[in-house]
Amino acid sequence: MRDTKSLINQLENKGVTLVAVSKTKPSEQILEVYDLGQRDFGENRVQEMVDKAADLPNDIRWHQIGHLQKNKVKYIAPFVHLIHSIDSEALLKTVQKEAAKNDRKINVLLQLKIATEETKYGLSTAEAEVLTGDLISGKYPNVYLQGFMGMASFVQEDDQVEKEFSGLKNFQSAMKEQFPDDMEQLQVLSMGMSGDYNIAIECGSTMVRIGSAIFGSRN
């Protein structure tokens, strides 16, 4: 775990938030990373997050990083720290409804589709611009927009990955210019995973989602 501690320190020194992606990993392994001072953990599957949240220390900040189905929002609404994957207006409406039921404000990121793969989810820039305006105007009073998320194409060409990350950074900058009084809501840029987080940070990422570089490869 020495390398993990140095990674945590390295990212902290750069002002980048590390989300340790703990999907499929047992609670014992998560606790090892927790004991190094890590508090932000990311899960793809709702049931897995719910089970781990019940089993692990309650000061962990849980991040929903995978595609989120509307009918699953109610299970994480009482405790989730940040939903990275708001990829439709319908999902946003559901998060608002469940947040209001739990009398809390849920932090979210709008997920933009920056990759070329058809299998990747996300909003177009036009859709994201509309939802950004809706969120900042108070249309969803129980949802707090922290920024944006994107996943680059899974390719060997660093130039393409850099272009996709830079495009998302440019979108964030454009939204900050469009809503200058609400820039605080638009500070987070979640991009970069184990294979491309260094490129993402160079392109302006403030939050990286790293799994295999911390926990080892998955089966």
Side-chain angles (χ1 to χ4, degrees), residues 41-56:
F41 290 87
E43 291 287 333
N44 275 39
R45 294 181 178 173
V46 165
Q47 190 57 54
E48 193 173 346
M49 184 194 289
V50 170
D51 292 344
K52 288 174 178 175
D55 190 38
L56 289 161

Side-chain angles (χ1 to χ4, degrees), residues 24-72:
T24 75
K25 298 301 178 181
S27 295
E28 295 75 24
Q29 271 191 273
I30 296 171
L31 275 174
E32 287 180 37
V33 180
Y34 174 92
D35 288 340
L36 298 175
Q38 178 66 21
R39 291 296 179 270
D40 293 276
F41 290 87
E43 291 287 333
N44 275 39
R45 294 181 178 173
V46 165
Q47 190 57 54
E48 193 173 346
M49 184 194 289
V50 170
D51 292 344
K52 288 174 178 175
D55 190 38
L56 289 161
N58 60 14
D59 63 336
I60 287 179
R61 295 181 289 267
W62 292 102
H63 295 244
Q64 173 65 34
I65 60 172
H67 178 63
L68 180 59
Q69 295 174 311
K70 297 193 298 293
N71 63 351
K72 299 285 180 69

Side-chain angles (χ1 to χ4, degrees), residues 40-132:
D40 293 276
F41 290 87
E43 291 287 333
N44 275 39
R45 294 181 178 173
V46 165
Q47 190 57 54
E48 193 173 346
M49 184 194 289
V50 170
D51 292 344
K52 288 174 178 175
D55 190 38
L56 289 161
N58 60 14
D59 63 336
I60 287 179
R61 295 181 289 267
W62 292 102
H63 295 244
Q64 173 65 34
I65 60 172
H67 178 63
L68 180 59
Q69 295 174 311
K70 297 193 298 293
N71 63 351
K72 299 285 180 69
V73 175
K74 61 189 174 187
Y75 300 111
I76 61 172
F79 69 91
V80 68
H81 174 68
L82 177 62
I83 297 174
H84 291 232
S85 48
I86 299 295
D87 57 10
S88 70
E89 183 181 21
L91 177 58
L92 187 54
K93 287 178 177 176
T94 302
V95 173
Q96 164 58 34
K97 182 178 77 174
E98 296 300 334
K101 279 185 191 175
N102 285 275
D103 193 27
R104 67 183 297 240
K105 205 168 227 187
I106 292 179
N107 300 313
V108 303
L109 304 177
L110 296 179
Q111 180 178 357
L112 277 77
K113 187 177 189 300
I114 62 173
T116 55
E117 291 106 327
E118 287 300 316
T119 52
K120 294 262 174 55
Y121 293 95
L123 301 157
S124 68
T125 52
E127 291 169 329
E129 187 173 346
V130 170
L131 292 185
T132 298

Side-chain angles (χ1 to χ4, degrees), residues 14 162 166 169 191 196-205:
K14 291 181 177 181
E162 185 178 341
S166 295
K169 174 62 179 175
M191 56 187 195
D196 57 20
Y197 71 89
N198 284 314
I199 300 173
I201 292 170
E202 286 173 15
C203 294
S205 176

